[in-house]
Amino acid sequence: MRQDPAEQPPAARRPTVAAVLSLALATAVSPTAWAGGDPAKGADVYDKCIACHSPSLNRIGPRHQGVVGRTAGGLTDFAYSPALKKAGFVWDEARLDQWLTNPEKLVPGNRMGFRLQDPAQRADVIAYLKTLK
Amino acid sequence: MTNTLIQPRGFDAGRRKTVLSASAVALLVGFDALAARTAKAASSDPKKDVGILNTALGLEQEAIGVYQVGAESGLLSAGTLKVAVAFQSQHKEHAAALEATIRKLGGTAVAAKGKDEYAKVVMAAGPKNEADVLKLAARLEKGAANAYIGVIPSFSDPMLAQVSARLAADEAMHFTALQTALGIALPGNALSFGG
């Protein structure tokens, strides 16, 4: 039995490549993937945000209470990047999905940079954000 | 599992000084090469990278502040306190390395917030004993590992992406040590970290 995966013949590693490719394809699903997220699962996904965000505290990132329906860069007591401050839109599910998929594409020059790869996790965390009123 | 891992011995406390400076120098040497390269590389966008590096610096400053508040809480036993200080000093190294990189890329490093701001983060968790403090630390360390992994694709310079992965590994190590000390099972599934 070989212990070290690096020692395996290339053929043994092929399924992994296939799995990775199919994952990449799954990531490219419909733009409305956020519809119908589960807020309870989203509360767990939120563990990926808590290094920088809290529902009620401004930390490295702005607080999330009331973020859905809020103007992007709209809090007066958080120091946003100039880019997000003048983004000029309101956060809804679609914008949040774009933001979490690739913040740089939605708002070039933003300071978040963090991407959430999995569409299901994005849907769940957006559903959770909606509960933070 | 008992609290055996939360022993300064486990972290080679005696050798910390030398380990510290050696790795700090290694990091900065890498950053020198990086700064020179970034100035030339057409596809890289130092200004954009500086923004994300400053966010990372804010995260490290908060980690330093939270460990400080935890250390002064009176809730930690002597052995645990030493480990908390050891982890805090690694976050200090991270912060110093990030600041140096930001400056080399021509940016301005954000200033740390006041201690009260970090105290709020600890208060929000309402720790009543040592385990509560360690749980909060573990949660934040895991969050930091996730954050560093999640920002990797946003760096225009792949060398910065690599640095981000190295920082994530340190945070994952802290998380693992804290969970083990708390006697909490490590994640059962693979790929539990990341964006």
Side-chain angles (χ1 to χ4, degrees):
Chain A
M1 266 281 168
R2 288 173 192 272
Q3 292 295 315
D4 181 355
E7 299 250 306
Q8 286 176 358
R13 273 186 274 153
R14 251 172 236 149
T16 318
V17 175
V20 167
L21 283 177
S22 69
L23 235 180
L25 285 176
T27 320
V29 291
S30 83
T32 52
W34 39 262
D38 177 345
K41 283 191 196 157
D44 286 337
V45 178
Y46 198 70
D47 272 1
K48 298 192 173 174
C49 320
I50 58 130
C52 302
H53 291 282
S54 295
S56 59
L57 289 177
N58 287 333
R59 289 171 50 213
I60 295 102
R63 64 178 177 273
H64 276 151
Q65 231 153 31
V67 70
V68 181
R70 186 161 89 201
T71 303
L75 291 177
T76 50
D77 56 352
F78 182 82
Y80 293 99
S81 66
L84 190 58
K85 222 170 178 169
K86 61 176 196 316
F89 59 76
V90 168
W91 289 117
D92 60 13
E93 291 171 327
R95 294 273 203 220
L96 286 166
D97 191 59
Q98 290 165 11
W99 174 251
L100 296 175
T101 304
N102 184 349
E104 187 57 23
K105 201 169 160 196
L106 182 66
V107 183
N110 80 90
R111 282 203 279 262
M112 178 158 115
F114 178 86
R115 298 190 196 184
L116 190 57
Q117 262 191 340
D118 179 357
Q121 290 195 1
R122 287 199 301 273
D124 291 341
V125 84
I126 291 167
Y128 172 70
L129 290 177
K130 284 166 80 177
T131 69
L132 303 176
K133 299 246 161 78
Chain B
M1 194 72 17
T2 60
N3 271 11
T4 47
L5 238 181
I6 288 288
Q7 279 180 5
R9 202 175 343 121
F11 295 90
D12 215 352
R15 280 182 52 216
R16 273 208 57 75
K17 269 236 165 73
T18 22
V19 173
L20 235 164
S21 47
S23 72
V25 168
L27 265 171
L28 292 173
V29 167
F31 288 148
D32 263 336
L34 176 148
R37 233 174 53 98
T38 301
K40 277 183 262 157
S43 62
S44 77
D45 182 348
K47 233 178 123 185
K48 188 177 102 178
D49 289 343
V50 161
I52 302 167
L53 290 170
N54 258 323
T55 297
L57 176 57
L59 189 159
E60 295 293 347
Q61 288 164 340
E62 188 189 89
I64 294 164
V66 164
Y67 273 112
Q68 191 62 35
V69 174
E72 292 170 7
S73 68
L75 295 172
L76 303 186
S77 62
T80 304
L81 185 63
K82 277 194 183 139
V83 176
V85 170
F87 286 178
Q88 185 195 42
S89 81
Q90 294 192 356
H91 288 290
K92 285 180 178 168
E93 276 187 81
H94 291 170
L98 287 166
E99 275 174 31
T101 310
I102 289 164
R103 276 198 299 273
K104 280 183 179 152
L105 293 176
T108 308
V110 289
K113 296 183 185 176
K115 197 167 144 194
D116 287 358
E117 292 298 307
Y118 303 131
K120 279 186 204 162
V121 176
V122 178
M123 307 277 242
K128 294 189 177 52
N129 51 41
E130 177 168 292
D132 290 347
V133 176
L134 295 183
K135 276 181 199 157
L136 171 66
R139 217 168 115 75
L140 291 175
E141 293 283 10
K142 185 181 185 192
N146 289 336
Y148 276 120
I149 295 168
V151 299
I152 283 176
S154 294
F155 284 112
S156 70
D157 190 316
M159 277 181 75
L160 286 174
Q162 187 179 25
V163 170
S164 198
R166 294 182 66 193
L167 293 164
D170 278 357
E171 319 299 29
M173 175 180 71
H174 296 171
F175 165 75
T176 304
L178 291 165
Q179 290 293 94
T180 309
L182 282 160
I184 299 174
L186 296 174
N189 298 327
L191 303 176
S192 65
F193 289 99

mmCIF file of all heavy atoms in Angstrom, chain A residues 47-48 50-52 57-60 104 111-117, chain B residues 48 55 58-59 62 113 139-140 143-144 146 150-151 153-154 194-195:
data_model
loop_
_atom_site.group_PDB
_atom_site.id
_atom_site.type_symbol
_atom_site.label_atom_id
_atom_site.label_comp_id
_atom_site.label_asym_id
_atom_site.label_seq_id
_atom_site.Cartn_x
_atom_site.Cartn_y
_atom_site.Cartn_z
ATOM 1 N N ASP A 47 -19.630 31.526 9.142
ATOM 2 C CA ASP A 47 -18.305 31.302 9.734
ATOM 3 C C ASP A 47 -17.190 31.760 8.793
ATOM 4 O O ASP A 47 -16.074 32.027 9.232
ATOM 5 C CB ASP A 47 -18.097 29.818 10.045
ATOM 6 C CG ASP A 47 -18.611 29.462 11.430
ATOM 7 O OD1 ASP A 47 -19.133 30.359 12.119
ATOM 8 O OD2 ASP A 47 -18.491 28.282 11.817
ATOM 9 N N LYS A 48 -17.485 31.803 7.508
ATOM 10 C CA LYS A 48 -16.473 32.245 6.537
ATOM 11 C C LYS A 48 -16.405 33.768 6.456
ATOM 12 O O LYS A 48 -15.533 34.307 5.791
ATOM 13 C CB LYS A 48 -16.762 31.630 5.168
ATOM 14 C CG LYS A 48 -16.677 30.105 5.230
ATOM 15 C CD LYS A 48 -16.668 29.452 3.884
ATOM 16 C CE LYS A 48 -16.393 27.954 4.067
ATOM 17 N NZ LYS A 48 -16.500 27.216 2.819
ATOM 18 N N ILE A 50 -16.870 35.659 9.475
ATOM 19 C CA ILE A 50 -16.700 36.224 10.816
ATOM 20 C C ILE A 50 -15.292 36.710 11.143
ATOM 21 O O ILE A 50 -15.099 37.361 12.160
ATOM 22 C CB ILE A 50 -17.143 35.245 11.932
ATOM 23 C CG1 ILE A 50 -16.348 33.963 11.835
ATOM 24 C CG2 ILE A 50 -18.631 35.000 11.910
ATOM 25 C CD1 ILE A 50 -15.749 33.580 13.160
ATOM 26 N N ALA A 51 -14.320 36.405 10.287
ATOM 27 C CA ALA A 51 -13.000 36.999 10.533
ATOM 28 C C ALA A 51 -13.103 38.510 10.365
ATOM 29 O O ALA A 51 -12.357 39.262 10.990
ATOM 30 C CB ALA A 51 -11.963 36.426 9.579
ATOM 31 N N CYS A 52 -14.009 38.957 9.531
ATOM 32 C CA CYS A 52 -14.073 40.385 9.197
ATOM 33 C C CYS A 52 -15.396 41.052 9.558
ATOM 34 O O CYS A 52 -15.439 42.269 9.690
ATOM 35 C CB CYS A 52 -13.822 40.582 7.703
ATOM 36 S SG CYS A 52 -12.229 39.935 7.138
ATOM 37 N N LEU A 57 -21.523 44.664 14.736
ATOM 38 C CA LEU A 57 -20.327 45.489 14.964
ATOM 39 C C LEU A 57 -19.627 45.813 13.653
ATOM 40 O O LEU A 57 -19.503 44.945 12.792
ATOM 41 C CB LEU A 57 -19.312 44.729 15.836
ATOM 42 C CG LEU A 57 -19.598 44.494 17.306
ATOM 43 C CD1 LEU A 57 -18.460 43.657 17.902
ATOM 44 C CD2 LEU A 57 -19.718 45.809 18.051
ATOM 45 N N ASN A 58 -19.166 47.028 13.506
ATOM 46 C CA ASN A 58 -18.240 47.332 12.419
ATOM 47 C C ASN A 58 -16.877 46.820 12.838
ATOM 48 O O ASN A 58 -16.356 47.223 13.873
ATOM 49 C CB ASN A 58 -18.150 48.844 12.182
ATOM 50 C CG ASN A 58 -19.391 49.391 11.513
ATOM 51 O OD1 ASN A 58 -20.086 48.674 10.792
ATOM 52 N ND2 ASN A 58 -19.674 50.657 11.741
ATOM 53 N N ARG A 59 -16.306 45.943 12.018
ATOM 54 C CA ARG A 59 -14.964 45.438 12.366
ATOM 55 C C ARG A 59 -14.029 45.716 11.179
ATOM 56 O O ARG A 59 -13.830 46.866 10.822
ATOM 57 C CB ARG A 59 -15.054 43.963 12.733
ATOM 58 C CG ARG A 59 -15.764 43.777 14.091
ATOM 59 C CD ARG A 59 -16.067 42.339 14.408
ATOM 60 N NE ARG A 59 -14.909 41.462 14.248
ATOM 61 C CZ ARG A 59 -15.001 40.196 13.838
ATOM 62 N NH1 ARG A 59 -16.191 39.662 13.576
ATOM 63 N NH2 ARG A 59 -13.930 39.454 13.703
ATOM 64 N N ILE A 60 -13.457 44.683 10.612
ATOM 65 C CA ILE A 60 -12.631 44.893 9.421
ATOM 66 C C ILE A 60 -13.557 45.242 8.265
ATOM 67 O O ILE A 60 -13.232 46.041 7.398
ATOM 68 C CB ILE A 60 -11.783 43.642 9.118
ATOM 69 C CG1 ILE A 60 -10.778 43.425 10.264
ATOM 70 C CG2 ILE A 60 -11.047 43.778 7.811
ATOM 71 C CD1 ILE A 60 -11.163 42.368 11.228
ATOM 72 N N GLU A 104 -14.406 41.969 -7.066
ATOM 73 C CA GLU A 104 -13.626 42.854 -7.936
ATOM 74 C C GLU A 104 -14.345 43.117 -9.256
ATOM 75 O O GLU A 104 -14.217 44.182 -9.845
ATOM 76 C CB GLU A 104 -12.239 42.234 -8.168
ATOM 77 C CG GLU A 104 -11.248 43.092 -8.916
ATOM 78 C CD GLU A 104 -10.971 44.455 -8.272
ATOM 79 O OE1 GLU A 104 -11.184 44.599 -7.049
ATOM 80 O OE2 GLU A 104 -10.567 45.367 -9.018
ATOM 81 N N ARG A 111 -12.212 46.722 -1.260
ATOM 82 C CA ARG A 111 -11.173 46.216 -0.357
ATOM 83 C C ARG A 111 -11.540 44.873 0.288
ATOM 84 O O ARG A 111 -10.847 44.423 1.188
ATOM 85 C CB ARG A 111 -10.911 47.235 0.753
ATOM 86 C CG ARG A 111 -10.057 48.407 0.293
ATOM 87 C CD ARG A 111 -9.370 49.073 1.458
ATOM 88 N NE ARG A 111 -10.243 49.982 2.166
ATOM 89 C CZ ARG A 111 -10.263 51.298 1.969
ATOM 90 N NH1 ARG A 111 -9.455 51.862 1.091
ATOM 91 N NH2 ARG A 111 -11.067 52.060 2.659
ATOM 92 N N MET A 112 -12.631 44.250 -0.143
ATOM 93 C CA MET A 112 -12.994 42.976 0.498
ATOM 94 C C MET A 112 -12.177 41.836 -0.101
ATOM 95 O O MET A 112 -11.489 41.112 0.609
ATOM 96 C CB MET A 112 -14.493 42.697 0.380
ATOM 97 C CG MET A 112 -14.870 41.351 0.999
ATOM 98 S SD MET A 112 -16.581 41.199 1.465
ATOM 99 C CE MET A 112 -17.145 39.903 0.359
ATOM 100 N N GLY A 113 -12.284 41.670 -1.401
ATOM 101 C CA GLY A 113 -11.468 40.662 -2.079
ATOM 102 C C GLY A 113 -11.882 39.222 -1.830
ATOM 103 O O GLY A 113 -11.463 38.322 -2.547
ATOM 104 N N PHE A 114 -12.693 38.979 -0.833
ATOM 105 C CA PHE A 114 -13.040 37.607 -0.450
ATOM 106 C C PHE A 114 -14.087 37.021 -1.394
ATOM 107 O O PHE A 114 -15.082 37.668 -1.696
ATOM 108 C CB PHE A 114 -13.591 37.611 0.981
ATOM 109 C CG PHE A 114 -14.031 36.261 1.476
ATOM 110 C CD1 PHE A 114 -13.122 35.388 2.050
ATOM 111 C CD2 PHE A 114 -15.354 35.863 1.360
ATOM 112 C CE1 PHE A 114 -13.529 34.138 2.501
ATOM 113 C CE2 PHE A 114 -15.765 34.614 1.815
ATOM 114 C CZ PHE A 114 -14.850 33.763 2.389
ATOM 115 N N ARG A 115 -13.851 35.798 -1.856
ATOM 116 C CA ARG A 115 -14.806 35.135 -2.749
ATOM 117 C C ARG A 115 -15.339 33.863 -2.110
ATOM 118 O O ARG A 115 -14.585 33.089 -1.526
ATOM 119 C CB ARG A 115 -14.123 34.733 -4.061
ATOM 120 C CG ARG A 115 -13.588 35.912 -4.833
ATOM 121 C CD ARG A 115 -13.170 35.463 -6.208
ATOM 122 N NE ARG A 115 -12.317 36.461 -6.848
ATOM 123 C CZ ARG A 115 -11.869 36.337 -8.097
ATOM 124 N NH1 ARG A 115 -12.163 35.253 -8.802
ATOM 125 N NH2 ARG A 115 -11.112 37.278 -8.616
ATOM 126 N N LEU A 116 -16.627 33.662 -2.265
ATOM 127 C CA LEU A 116 -17.274 32.432 -1.788
ATOM 128 C C LEU A 116 -17.632 31.615 -3.023
ATOM 129 O O LEU A 116 -18.528 31.967 -3.777
ATOM 130 C CB LEU A 116 -18.517 32.794 -0.967
ATOM 131 C CG LEU A 116 -19.202 31.678 -0.192
ATOM 132 C CD1 LEU A 116 -18.252 30.995 0.766
ATOM 133 C CD2 LEU A 116 -20.401 32.230 0.575
ATOM 134 N N GLN A 117 -16.908 30.513 -3.188
ATOM 135 C CA GLN A 117 -16.965 29.763 -4.448
ATOM 136 C C GLN A 117 -18.273 29.039 -4.720
ATOM 137 O O GLN A 117 -18.721 28.968 -5.851
ATOM 138 C CB GLN A 117 -15.877 28.688 -4.387
ATOM 139 C CG GLN A 117 -14.605 29.055 -5.085
ATOM 140 C CD GLN A 117 -13.705 27.839 -5.202
ATOM 141 O OE1 GLN A 117 -13.832 26.859 -4.479
ATOM 142 N NE2 GLN A 117 -12.804 27.896 -6.151
ATOM 143 N N LYS B 48 -4.605 47.742 -6.156
ATOM 144 C CA LYS B 48 -5.683 46.819 -5.815
ATOM 145 C C LYS B 48 -5.203 45.843 -4.731
ATOM 146 O O LYS B 48 -5.889 45.599 -3.744
ATOM 147 C CB LYS B 48 -6.086 46.056 -7.085
ATOM 148 C CG LYS B 48 -7.310 45.206 -6.937
ATOM 149 C CD LYS B 48 -7.663 44.566 -8.258
ATOM 150 C CE LYS B 48 -7.224 43.119 -8.275
ATOM 151 N NZ LYS B 48 -7.590 42.448 -9.528
ATOM 152 N N THR B 55 -6.819 45.125 4.291
ATOM 153 C CA THR B 55 -7.902 44.400 4.951
ATOM 154 C C THR B 55 -7.315 43.272 5.799
ATOM 155 O O THR B 55 -7.701 43.065 6.955
ATOM 156 C CB THR B 55 -8.885 43.848 3.901
ATOM 157 O OG1 THR B 55 -9.465 44.959 3.210
ATOM 158 C CG2 THR B 55 -9.982 43.021 4.539
ATOM 159 N N GLY B 58 -5.832 44.677 8.879
ATOM 160 C CA GLY B 58 -6.876 44.980 9.860
ATOM 161 C C GLY B 58 -7.268 43.736 10.638
ATOM 162 O O GLY B 58 -7.488 43.784 11.854
ATOM 163 N N LEU B 59 -7.320 42.629 9.930
ATOM 164 C CA LEU B 59 -7.665 41.349 10.561
ATOM 165 C C LEU B 59 -6.583 40.938 11.578
ATOM 166 O O LEU B 59 -6.889 40.491 12.686
ATOM 167 C CB LEU B 59 -7.780 40.328 9.435
ATOM 168 C CG LEU B 59 -8.309 38.930 9.660
ATOM 169 C CD1 LEU B 59 -8.775 38.379 8.314
ATOM 170 C CD2 LEU B 59 -7.250 38.018 10.210
ATOM 171 N N GLU B 62 -6.745 43.118 14.628
ATOM 172 C CA GLU B 62 -7.836 42.693 15.515
ATOM 173 C C GLU B 62 -7.430 41.441 16.307
ATOM 174 O O GLU B 62 -7.689 41.340 17.507
ATOM 175 C CB GLU B 62 -9.116 42.416 14.721
ATOM 176 C CG GLU B 62 -10.288 42.168 15.664
ATOM 177 C CD GLU B 62 -11.543 41.680 14.955
ATOM 178 O OE1 GLU B 62 -11.698 40.451 14.803
ATOM 179 O OE2 GLU B 62 -12.362 42.520 14.575
ATOM 180 N N LYS B 113 -6.941 49.971 15.396
ATOM 181 C CA LYS B 113 -8.000 50.684 16.128
ATOM 182 C C LYS B 113 -7.637 50.741 17.611
ATOM 183 O O LYS B 113 -6.667 50.114 18.052
ATOM 184 C CB LYS B 113 -9.319 49.935 15.974
ATOM 185 C CG LYS B 113 -9.823 49.881 14.546
ATOM 186 C CD LYS B 113 -11.180 49.177 14.520
ATOM 187 C CE LYS B 113 -11.676 48.995 13.106
ATOM 188 N NZ LYS B 113 -12.940 48.222 13.065
ATOM 189 N N ARG B 139 -12.657 30.251 16.930
ATOM 190 C CA ARG B 139 -13.593 30.704 15.905
ATOM 191 C C ARG B 139 -12.967 31.772 15.014
ATOM 192 O O ARG B 139 -13.088 31.742 13.796
ATOM 193 C CB ARG B 139 -14.829 31.282 16.607
ATOM 194 C CG ARG B 139 -16.135 31.014 15.951
ATOM 195 C CD ARG B 139 -17.270 31.383 16.913
ATOM 196 N NE ARG B 139 -18.061 32.490 16.401
ATOM 197 C CZ ARG B 139 -18.955 32.381 15.406
ATOM 198 N NH1 ARG B 139 -19.162 31.217 14.830
ATOM 199 N NH2 ARG B 139 -19.641 33.417 14.989
ATOM 200 N N LEU B 140 -12.274 32.698 15.666
ATOM 201 C CA LEU B 140 -11.653 33.779 14.897
ATOM 202 C C LEU B 140 -10.470 33.267 14.070
ATOM 203 O O LEU B 140 -10.249 33.712 12.943
ATOM 204 C CB LEU B 140 -11.218 34.920 15.826
ATOM 205 C CG LEU B 140 -12.369 35.715 16.455
ATOM 206 C CD1 LEU B 140 -11.837 36.736 17.457
ATOM 207 C CD2 LEU B 140 -13.225 36.419 15.400
ATOM 208 N N GLY B 143 -11.899 31.546 11.148
ATOM 209 C CA GLY B 143 -12.378 32.594 10.246
ATOM 210 C C GLY B 143 -11.230 33.231 9.472
ATOM 211 O O GLY B 143 -11.340 33.497 8.273
ATOM 212 N N ALA B 144 -10.115 33.444 10.170
ATOM 213 C CA ALA B 144 -8.968 34.076 9.514
ATOM 214 C C ALA B 144 -8.388 33.154 8.440
ATOM 215 O O ALA B 144 -8.028 33.605 7.345
ATOM 216 C CB ALA B 144 -7.900 34.427 10.553
ATOM 217 N N ASN B 146 -10.063 30.924 6.756
ATOM 218 C CA ASN B 146 -11.040 31.014 5.661
ATOM 219 C C ASN B 146 -10.843 32.298 4.862
ATOM 220 O O ASN B 146 -10.893 32.295 3.632
ATOM 221 C CB ASN B 146 -12.466 30.991 6.216
ATOM 222 C CG ASN B 146 -12.862 29.631 6.762
ATOM 223 O OD1 ASN B 146 -12.300 28.623 6.363
ATOM 224 N ND2 ASN B 146 -13.818 29.604 7.664
ATOM 225 N N GLY B 150 -9.955 32.706 1.006
ATOM 226 C CA GLY B 150 -10.969 33.321 0.141
ATOM 227 C C GLY B 150 -10.488 34.529 -0.647
ATOM 228 O O GLY B 150 -11.069 34.875 -1.673
ATOM 229 N N VAL B 151 -9.417 35.192 -0.174
ATOM 230 C CA VAL B 151 -8.925 36.357 -0.918
ATOM 231 C C VAL B 151 -7.861 35.969 -1.951
ATOM 232 O O VAL B 151 -7.482 36.798 -2.787
ATOM 233 C CB VAL B 151 -8.375 37.490 0.001
ATOM 234 C CG1 VAL B 151 -9.466 38.010 0.925
ATOM 235 C CG2 VAL B 151 -7.162 37.046 0.787
ATOM 236 N N PRO B 153 -7.794 34.350 -4.822
ATOM 237 C CA PRO B 153 -7.994 34.637 -6.248
ATOM 238 C C PRO B 153 -8.059 36.125 -6.578
ATOM 239 O O PRO B 153 -8.036 36.494 -7.748
ATOM 240 C CB PRO B 153 -9.328 33.952 -6.569
ATOM 241 C CG PRO B 153 -9.963 33.627 -5.283
ATOM 242 C CD PRO B 153 -8.928 33.643 -4.216
ATOM 243 N N SER B 154 -8.139 36.977 -5.583
ATOM 244 C CA SER B 154 -8.274 38.409 -5.862
ATOM 245 C C SER B 154 -6.939 39.136 -6.003
ATOM 246 O O SER B 154 -6.901 40.284 -6.435
ATOM 247 C CB SER B 154 -9.100 39.082 -4.763
ATOM 248 O OG SER B 154 -10.426 38.602 -4.799
ATOM 249 N N GLY B 194 -11.939 27.511 3.774
ATOM 250 C CA GLY B 194 -11.837 28.229 2.505
ATOM 251 C C GLY B 194 -13.039 29.044 2.145
ATOM 252 O O GLY B 194 -14.031 29.090 2.871
ATOM 253 N N GLY B 195 -12.927 29.749 1.018
ATOM 254 C CA GLY B 195 -13.985 30.654 0.601
ATOM 255 C C GLY B 195 -15.033 29.941 -0.242
ATOM 256 O O GLY B 195 -14.980 28.750 -0.433
#
